[in-house]
Amino acid sequence: MSSPTAAALIGNSRRDALVAQLSCTTTDTATVIAPFSGQPLHELPQSSIQDVQDAAATARLAQEAWKAAGFAHRRRVLLRAHDLLLERREELLDLLQTESGKTRGQAFEEIFQAASVTRYYALSARRVLATKRRRAGIPLLMTTRVSYSPKQLVGVVTPWNYPIALGTMDAVPALAAGSAVIQKIDNQGSLAMLATREAYLDAGVPAAVWPIVAGPRDTVGNAIIDSCDYLCFTGSTPTGTRVGERAAGRLIGASLELGGKNPLIVLGDANPAQAAEDAVYACFASMGQLCVSIERIYVHESIAEEFTREFAARVSALNQTAALDYSGDVGSLTSAAQLERVQAHVDDAIAHGATVLTGGVARPEIGPYFFAPTVLTDVTAAMQCFANETFGPVVAIATVATDTEAIDRANDTEFGLNASIFSGSVAHARRLADRLHAGSVNINEGYRGSFSSVDAPMGGMKKSGLGRRNGPEGILRFAQARTVSQSNGILQLPRTGAEFAVMAGLMVTLLSVLKALRRR
């Protein structure tokens, strides 16, 4: 199926209206390719460093009024945006599919996530950021409260693979806190994210409070870091490391969601057929181009043969298509670079002795970047795909003899983003979950349990990143905590040596009493 041009998909005037949202004064453009066809989709204007600086300065001015508008106003605006996202979902789904190559069902996950996170922060921001009383150092004599003020300008650098979901998961809590946001979108997901932002603007978010730019990482991306007060970045570990170093050089905070080599453990008490059916989606949603998708499976030897047979059969039966409807199980890789990386990992594995149970080949008869979902066994440390993130539709199955071996092999990685355990006993799985070195663990599900839990923090351990998005943690990163303590005038605290001589005994007694009462 041929992928439409942007003009055929939404019309020239609609495309131009979306692109007009960009903060851009240059004549430079970049060609965006439609993954389903490999043909040019549209030309996207590219911002300059000066565009970033100008947008940042304007956003800082606009933020004062946005903050002063208060939580109740921002709540109304964000709840209206929630509704507009759902009303406009069909256009958003068309744009997501056409720019990313994913199926419509997997594109719908992004709309669901964006609406969920918007509703969550609209309703929880005031409570999380409310001034709260804390225990004073000297009870009765002092009173202590903690208040929060929003960081003025938050930078958000959004990747191509989940532009709407990941874009809103960072931008929305910042807006709910009262911050302004300057966002760099990836060229490949530009129209989808611009159409998403438009819904928030139509709901009442001032355009100046949320400028969007596009352009090269080394210029526009660095300018974002140099212009903001806090940075959110999602991408590869090497790039994220450089981003973190640049942010640290300015003494600003950063949340970095980086790479993963995510394991799935199938315990001996699992139903092998059911586990195989559920594991397929965990590995091949969005063609594995998702930071939390599964690339390694460790299955107990007692059920390994049946699980592997069922798993390979279900992967072979997946319907791979470019249709802009719900008929597809898996879609296309997003770019030529992605296809090259996946093919290189598979070719290298085969050359070093891996066995291909299914897949392992490109599918140009469907489209230029299609690659068959691939299941490997006999993968060794000599292969590129053993420890390095493939970020594509390739999974390796290995057999283990014990739970401890499964945990040890799952943890034997420099990454620690997501992990999964399939078991017939939730209690058994929970005990093992506590031993996994990962920021999120899903039981009898691949990633969607934790990914959709917007009230719970999401992030990585080890080289999978720093900081957390979602939950109270996801909005507190955009707030400055301020502690205010006051003397209640009941008793003057000692100031001179003579006064300390009188009061020291009383203060020691106070400490002993507080301990006896188990008071913090």
Side-chain angles (χ1 to χ4, degrees), residues 189-261:
S190 54
L191 293 180
M193 190 60 229
L194 289 168
T196 300
R197 173 186 182 260
E198 184 184 59
Y200 289 86
L201 268 55
D202 290 346
V205 175
V209 169
W210 188 1
I212 288 191
V213 296
R217 178 183 66 201
D218 292 340
T219 55
V220 172
N222 285 341
I224 292 281
I225 303 171
D226 295 342
S227 300
C228 68
D229 304 315
Y230 188 94
L231 183 78
C232 305
F233 173 85
T234 305
S236 70
T237 294
T239 301
T241 300
R242 293 193 295 272
V243 167
E245 290 170 348
R246 193 176 186 100
R250 294 193 57 237
L251 294 181
I252 64 170
S255 54
L256 311 171
E257 189 198 291
L258 309 179
K261 190 69 177 177

Side-chain angles (χ1 to χ4, degrees), residues 29 64 97 109 118 134 171 201 218 253 328 361 377 415 446 454 487:
T29 62
E64 293 293 339
Q97 282 198 268
E109 284 190 350
T118 301
R134 299 288 183 91
L201 268 55
D218 292 340
V361 295
T377 60
F415 299 110
V454 295
S487 172

Side-chain angles (χ1 to χ4, degrees), residues 65-88 114-115 117-123 125-126 171-172 174-179 196-207 209-210:
W66 178 245
K67 172 188 173 183
F71 286 110
H73 173 74
R74 295 194 293 272
R75 177 180 183 271
R76 288 192 296 271
V77 168
L78 292 177
L79 289 178
R80 175 57 179 155
H82 169 279
D83 295 343
L84 291 178
L85 288 175
L86 298 182
E87 290 174 15
R88 301 174 184 184
V117 78
T118 301
R119 183 187 68 255
Y120 174 78
Y121 284 114
L123 298 174
R126 182 198 290 270
V172 167
L175 293 170
S179 299
T196 300
R197 173 186 182 260
E198 184 184 59
Y200 289 86
L201 268 55
D202 290 346
V205 175
V209 169
W210 188 1

Side-chain angles (χ1 to χ4, degrees), residues 16-25 42-47 51 55 183-185 187 190-191 194 197 211-215:
D16 292 345
L18 292 176
V19 170
Q21 295 181 57
L22 285 170
S23 297
C24 180
T25 59
H42 67 105
E43 295 294 321
L44 184 72
Q46 299 291 276
S47 306
D51 289 328
Q183 182 180 11
K184 176 190 176 302
I185 55 175
N187 295 343
S190 54
L191 293 180
L194 289 168
R197 173 186 182 260
I212 288 191
V213 296

Side-chain angles (χ1 to χ4, degrees), residues 118-368:
T118 301
R119 183 187 68 255
Y120 174 78
Y121 284 114
L123 298 174
S124 66
R126 182 198 290 270
R127 172 181 56 80
V128 175
L129 298 178
T131 297
K132 297 177 179 66
R133 187 165 176 168
R134 299 288 183 91
R135 188 192 66 80
I138 306 177
L140 300 179
L141 303 189
M142 310 292 292
T143 299
T144 297
R145 290 178 173 83
V146 174
S147 63
Y148 297 93
S149 58
K151 294 174 182 176
Q152 193 172 22
L153 182 61
V154 172
V156 174
V157 179
T158 306
W160 50 265
N161 60 325
Y162 270 66
I164 292 179
L166 296 177
T168 53
M169 288 163 76
D170 286 333
V172 167
L175 293 170
S179 299
V181 173
I182 181 167
Q183 182 180 11
K184 176 190 176 302
I185 55 175
D186 192 277
N187 295 343
Q188 196 60 47
S190 54
L191 293 180
M193 190 60 229
L194 289 168
T196 300
R197 173 186 182 260
E198 184 184 59
Y200 289 86
L201 268 55
D202 290 346
V205 175
V209 169
W210 188 1
I212 288 191
V213 296
R217 178 183 66 201
D218 292 340
T219 55
V220 172
N222 285 341
I224 292 281
I225 303 171
D226 295 342
S227 300
C228 68
D229 304 315
Y230 188 94
L231 183 78
C232 305
F233 173 85
T234 305
S236 70
T237 294
T239 301
T241 300
R242 293 193 295 272
V243 167
E245 290 170 348
R246 193 176 186 100
R250 294 193 57 237
L251 294 181
I252 64 170
S255 54
L256 311 171
E257 189 198 291
L258 309 179
K261 190 69 177 177
N262 307 305
L264 184 155
I265 296 171
V266 185
L267 300 177
D269 59 7
N271 179 314
Q274 183 64 51
E277 183 175 12
D278 293 335
V280 171
Y281 193 88
C283 301
F284 300 112
S286 294
M287 287 292 281
Q289 298 171 123
L290 173 61
C291 53
V292 291
S293 65
I294 299 299
E295 295 194 8
R296 301 178 288 149
I297 297 177
Y298 299 106
V299 56
H300 192 273
E301 59 186 11
S302 64
I303 61 169
E305 183 177 351
E306 183 178 356
F307 171 85
T308 302
R309 181 177 64 252
E310 292 280 349
F311 183 79
R314 294 179 185 279
V315 173
S316 299
L318 291 172
N319 181 33
Q320 193 164 22
T321 178
L324 295 181
D325 55 33
Y326 289 102
S327 63
D329 300 317
V330 287
S332 170
L333 291 166
T334 303
S335 67
Q338 280 296 103
L339 177 64
E340 181 180 354
R341 178 183 179 87
V342 170
Q343 187 72 69
H345 273 212
V346 172
D347 290 347
D348 173 77
I350 294 172
H352 286 86
T355 300
V356 179
L357 298 185
T358 187
V361 295
R363 300 198 62 190
E365 74 278 11
I366 306 176

Side-chain angles (χ1 to χ4, degrees), residues 429-507:
R430 283 178 177 168
R431 288 193 297 271
L432 294 183
D434 289 338
R435 297 166 59 187
L436 286 168
H437 304 160
S440 60
V441 180
N442 289 267
I443 295 175
N444 294 331
E445 171 54 45
Y447 68 85
R448 289 181 291 183
S450 58
F451 191 76
S452 64
S453 297
V454 295
D455 189 36
M458 173 189 175
M461 298 181 181
K462 298 187 279 190
K463 289 190 176 181
S464 286
L466 297 171
R468 296 292 185 267
R469 59 161 61 102
N470 289 352
E473 295 86 348
I475 194 170
L476 285 169
R477 57 186 167 154
F478 305 129
Q480 302 273 21
R482 178 187 298 105
T483 298
V484 178
S485 287
Q486 67 186 53
S487 172
N488 293 331
I490 297 174
L491 182 67
Q492 178 62 56
L493 293 178
R495 296 158 296 184
T496 66
E499 290 174 347
F500 268 104
V502 173
M503 292 291 293
L506 291 175
M507 296 174 77

Side-chain angles (χ1 to χ4, degrees), residues 50-61:
Q50 188 63 53
D51 289 328
V52 173
Q53 294 170 345
D54 291 345
T58 301
R60 287 186 181 279
L61 293 174

Side-chain angles (χ1 to χ4, degrees), residues 261 295-298 344-356 375-390 394-399 409 412:
K261 190 69 177 177
E295 295 194 8
R296 301 178 288 149
I297 297 177
Y298 299 106
H345 273 212
V346 172
D347 290 347
D348 173 77
I350 294 172
H352 286 86
T355 300
V356 179
V375 181
L376 303 176
T377 60
D378 306 314
V379 171
T380 69
M383 303 171 191
Q384 293 179 24
C385 68
F386 179 82
N388 298 311
E389 185 179 30
T390 301
V394 179
V395 65
I397 299 178
T399 301
R409 295 186 67 174
D412 186 19

